[in-house]
Amino acid sequence: MRIPIKEVTSGTAQAEVIGWVHEVRDLGGLTFFLIRDRTGILQVTIPKKKVGDEVLAAIREVSRESLVRVRGSVKAIEKAPGGRELVPDSFELLARSESPLPLDVVEKVPADLDTRLDARFLDARRPRVTAIFQIRSAVTRSVYEYLFPRGFVNITTPKVVAAATEGGTELFPIAYFEKEAFLNQSPQLYKQMMMAAGFEKVFEIGPIFRAEEHNTTKHLNEATSIDVEVSFADHLDVMRLLEDLIVHIYRFVQDQCADPLEALEIGELAIPDTPFERLPYPDAIDIAAKATGEPISYGDDIGTVAEKAIGEHMGAHYFITDWPTAIKPYYAMPCEDDPSVCKAFDLMHPRMELSSGAARVHLHDLLAHQIRAKGLSPENFEFYLTPFRYGMPPHAGWGLGAERLVMTMLSLANIREAVLFPRDRHRLTP
RNA sequence: GCCCAGGUAGUGUAGUGGCCCAUCAUGUCGGCCUGUCACGCCGACGACUCGGAUUCGAAUUCCGACCUGGGCGCCA
């Protein structure tokens, strides 16, 4: 009966494991194999004079990264990794690996990210990479475990859509029978329609597509968005929800992912403190102007240099609030006392933006007005605008970038490290 | 869209006009080795993205193509 390598301890008598050949050290009369599965690494020691001919024949055939099944007795040995080793009665080659390998799994020689992504299946055998995706899975799970008990309904919305509804970013056109269609940039409009449907609290974790030709370490053309929308809530409510969720995710990962965190040499995650600081937009641009010496006018977007300067100044997660209405999307609700300011916010990690959200415009005429004010025509938004004429509740929500969350949590240098098969300007395979 | 940088064995690199039929490491193959843990030692194998130009001579300079990384704008 095969067991995970992690479960082989110095107290185990007999064990059968299946894994990949991580390393081989042949000392002549004695050969050491390191066998790896997703749970860990086990040393298999072969004293050539004391094992059968079948074992000797098998080990002549194996190459690095071949898949093998080994059965034998476990010995507690202090000088072996993990304090135990396996001396095989049987050593079976299940699937031979060709050589040379496209990249060095043991990482004696580093591989470029590009090379690694070309051979992602092999790259992902590396304990460090396995750990990233075990943690990413835990992040997703913790979102479900946070939202379901709070009454959220998990929805899925179309990724194939008819028109560029939000404006701003570029969309990927696709062929949809005889019609023109696009890949959706965000579930935004559909989440809002479900507010009209009375679902009250919805969320979706799904792909979003942006056809921007950017080429940076923090952008993807296909990303994963954790999207939330809540009726009878305003921006302040959903900001509290968001910061509480972030802390919940960090705690969950800290509790559940000790081994992966160890593999990443992180050990203890720094759990963010709540409440996150609320930094009004005018203060944010002041900080940036002072830090960079570059003047920033009210109403300017906060560029990368400014964002970095503000992040260094803040040193922890924070919200930017009180945004000028002019530089936020049409669906952000303007403040009653000063409509030039809106109820939108961005959640920032010191390194980058993680999420943006707002209290939404739920009044049909105001929404139509704001769409026109952005130079868009309400006629193209009929499917979206109609629900606002039939009892749309006030609501608020946000979208949180899953890859950026994982990337900042684990201090990854490149967002592509947080996706198994990233889609960027140049990469469409694997 | 704009700007910068770069393409040398499977992988990561050195080499900026002749000292290079190309450095080092890792790998692969062969040999020696019974406690390695980046095992060690000996030997071998394996590469200048493509096309054109300059030159007595080009991995190296120039032009073009192709490919790639990064920065900015914008954004999650």
Side-chain angles (χ1 to χ4, degrees), chain A residues 197-414:
Chain A
F199 277 34
E200 196 165 326
K201 296 174 170 184
V202 301
F203 78 101
E204 174 170 18
I205 301 175
I208 56 172
F209 302 91
R210 307 278 163 98
E212 298 286 348
E213 296 194 19
H214 35 45
N215 192 201
T216 76
T217 53
K218 60 178 185 181
H219 289 93
L220 293 165
N221 292 294
E222 178 178 359
T224 308
S225 180
I226 300 168
D227 258 277
V228 159
E229 205 69 31
V230 186
S231 286
F232 317 115
D234 63 15
H235 54 303
L236 302 175
D237 296 321
V238 295
M239 283 162 73
R240 279 192 291 269
L241 179 77
L242 178 53
E243 67 189 353
D244 197 41
L245 172 64
I246 296 286
V247 169
H248 172 83
I249 294 168
Y250 270 73
R251 285 217 182 97
F252 187 90
V253 169
Q254 178 64 51
D255 289 348
Q256 303 287 318
C257 299
D259 290 343
L261 287 171
E262 184 69 26
L264 289 164
E265 292 167 352
I266 290 174
E268 195 87 1
L269 266 189
I271 314 282
D273 287 326
T274 51
F276 298 162
E277 195 160 332
R278 270 67 170 163
L279 181 69
Y281 167 87
D283 297 353
I285 59 173
D286 271 357
I287 291 169
K290 285 201 183 89
T292 63
E294 300 281 319
I296 303 179
S297 308
Y298 186 88
D300 287 350
D301 275 312
I302 296 177
T304 306
V305 176
E307 180 180 294
K308 188 161 175 281
I310 301 165
E312 278 168 10
H313 183 267
M314 301 300 285
H317 289 81
Y318 63 101
F319 286 106
I320 301 178
T321 61
D322 303 283
W323 285 85
T325 306
I327 56 172
K328 281 290 176 185
Y330 56 80
Y331 49 73
M333 178 67 99
C335 294
E336 291 79 5
D337 51 344
D338 180 4
S340 75
V341 176
C342 68
K343 299 179 180 178
F345 59 87
D346 283 0
L347 170 65
M348 310 296 296
H349 178 277
R351 287 175 71 191
M352 72 190 78
E353 179 180 344
L354 296 183
S355 169
S356 67
R360 320 297 192 187
V361 177
H362 66 283
L363 306 167
H364 176 275
D365 293 353
L366 178 57
L367 188 56
H369 168 80
Q370 297 226 138
I371 287 172
R372 270 189 227 100
K374 294 284 176 187
L376 303 165
S377 62
E379 294 72 48
N380 297 342
F381 292 76
E382 210 45 51
F383 85 95
Y384 169 61
L385 276 169
T386 300
F388 288 79
R389 297 173 13 215
Y390 298 90
M392 174 67 89
H395 59 280
W398 40 256
L400 169 65
E403 286 83 11
R404 288 189 175 186
L405 177 63
V406 172
M407 177 189 184
T408 52
M409 176 185 283
L410 304 180
S411 301
L412 304 177
N414 193 314

Side-chain angles (χ1 to χ4, degrees), chain A residues 89-269:
Chain A
D89 300 322
S90 90
F91 192 110
E92 209 181 326
L93 178 58
L94 298 182
R96 192 169 192 283
S97 173
E98 289 182 18
S99 66
L101 297 164
L103 59 86
D104 181 5
V105 176
V106 178
E107 255 197 337
K108 286 179 185 172
V109 179
D112 288 345
L113 182 56
D114 203 43
T115 304
R116 292 172 43 204
L117 292 174
D118 282 340
R120 192 56 149 162
F121 73 95
L122 202 56
D123 180 54
R125 289 185 188 177
R126 294 169 43 221
R128 186 190 141 75
V129 176
T130 304
I132 291 171
F133 292 99
Q134 285 171 338
I135 290 170
R136 181 176 161 142
S137 174
V139 166
T140 309
R141 181 177 160 196
S142 71
V143 172
Y144 286 113
E145 292 193 359
Y146 180 88
L147 292 175
F148 280 132
R150 286 169 175 78
F152 280 81
V153 176
N154 184 204
I155 61 169
T156 60
T157 61
K159 304 309 154 202
V160 178
V161 297
T165 43
E166 271 191 65
T169 193
E170 294 291 316
L171 302 187
F172 287 108
I174 60 169
Y176 192 75
F177 305 111
E178 68 282 2
K179 290 184 175 140
E180 183 184 50
F182 300 92
L183 292 175
N184 206 178
Q185 68 187 88
S186 148
Q188 177 65 24
L189 306 188
Y190 291 93
K191 287 191 301 180
Q192 291 193 261
M193 284 193 277
M194 296 321 291
M195 298 297 97
F199 277 34
E200 196 165 326
K201 296 174 170 184
V202 301
F203 78 101
E204 174 170 18
I205 301 175
I208 56 172
F209 302 91
R210 307 278 163 98
E212 298 286 348
E213 296 194 19
H214 35 45
N215 192 201
T216 76
T217 53
K218 60 178 185 181
H219 289 93
L220 293 165
N221 292 294
E222 178 178 359
T224 308
S225 180
I226 300 168
D227 258 277
V228 159
E229 205 69 31
V230 186
S231 286
F232 317 115
D234 63 15
H235 54 303
L236 302 175
D237 296 321
V238 295
M239 283 162 73
R240 279 192 291 269
L241 179 77
L242 178 53
E243 67 189 353
D244 197 41
L245 172 64
I246 296 286
V247 169
H248 172 83
I249 294 168
Y250 270 73
R251 285 217 182 97
F252 187 90
V253 169
Q254 178 64 51
D255 289 348
Q256 303 287 318
C257 299
D259 290 343
L261 287 171
E262 184 69 26
L264 289 164
E265 292 167 352
I266 290 174
E268 195 87 1
L269 266 189

